[in-house]
Amino acid sequence: MGKKIIRFGVSMEADLLERFDGQIGRKGYGSRSEAIRDLVRKSLIHEGWEAGEQEVAGTITLLYDHHVRGLSELLTRLQHDFTGSFVSTMHVHMDHHNCLEVIVVKAKAKEARALADLLIAQKGVKHGNLTVASSRDVL
């Protein structure tokens, strides 16, 4: 049996609602309600991650210059140093200078953030991002 649905009203400025409706259309939501539920879920999940003890899975995406001396080896060594947290890696040669690496991690939220920060902070990494999810918090 499904969860009980409760209706409630939301008030906002007309221009904000117009922009939100545009986003709803671009992203393909079927209704404002589904878009709002998605925003609430994201907010609640993010709050749980900030506590740091929750187990999460996610990706660390790195764009880096592989010509920076020793960087590729350093990134690999760091992943080997934390093998319990790193699940898989995909490496893409973007062009002559740049590589994209997508690293799947599974760890406590604060550990995943620390690992991402460590990798992203290396000289030669041009851009990095951590994206995490937890099935426990999906509502």
Side-chain angles (χ1 to χ4, degrees):
M1 182 162 233
K3 294 181 179 180
K4 181 180 176 184
I5 302 293
I6 298 173
R7 293 183 180 268
F8 67 98
V10 176
S11 301
M12 66 177 70
E13 296 84 6
D15 62 331
L16 182 59
L17 181 58
E18 185 177 326
R19 290 177 58 204
F20 186 55
D21 284 343
Q23 183 183 53
I24 289 170
R26 286 188 303 278
K27 290 191 172 191
Y29 285 104
S31 67
R32 285 179 181 160
S33 292
E34 187 54 42
I36 290 170
R37 282 191 293 269
D38 195 34
L39 289 172
V40 170
R41 284 185 203 107
K42 286 178 184 177
S43 177
L44 293 171
I45 290 168
H46 182 73
E47 181 180 58
W49 295 334
E50 289 178 353
E53 294 302 318
Q54 179 178 353
E55 183 83 10
V56 298
T59 59
I60 301 170
T61 304
L62 305 173
L63 178 66
Y64 65 92
D65 182 345
H66 76 266
H67 288 294
V68 171
R69 172 171 250 154
L71 179 59
S72 296
E73 294 80 10
L74 175 60
L75 294 173
T76 300
R77 183 178 56 77
L78 289 171
Q79 292 176 53
H80 281 276
D81 289 347
F82 298 95
T83 54
S85 298
F86 292 104
V87 177
S88 179
T89 301
M90 179 177 66
H91 185 91
V92 178
H93 302 282
M94 300 292 289
D95 56 37
H96 182 69
H97 293 281
N98 296 294
C99 292
L100 175 74
E101 199 152 297
V102 180
I103 306 160
V104 178
V105 295
K106 187 173 182 186
K108 290 187 177 186
K110 66 181 176 183
E111 294 167 4
R113 169 50 57 201
L115 292 169
D117 289 346
L118 176 66
L119 294 172
I120 292 167
Q122 300 308 309
K123 181 180 178 184
V125 175
K126 296 179 177 183
H127 175 72
N129 189 51
L130 170 66
T131 304
V132 293
S134 171
S135 61
R136 188 185 89 191
D137 281 338
V138 176
L139 305 172

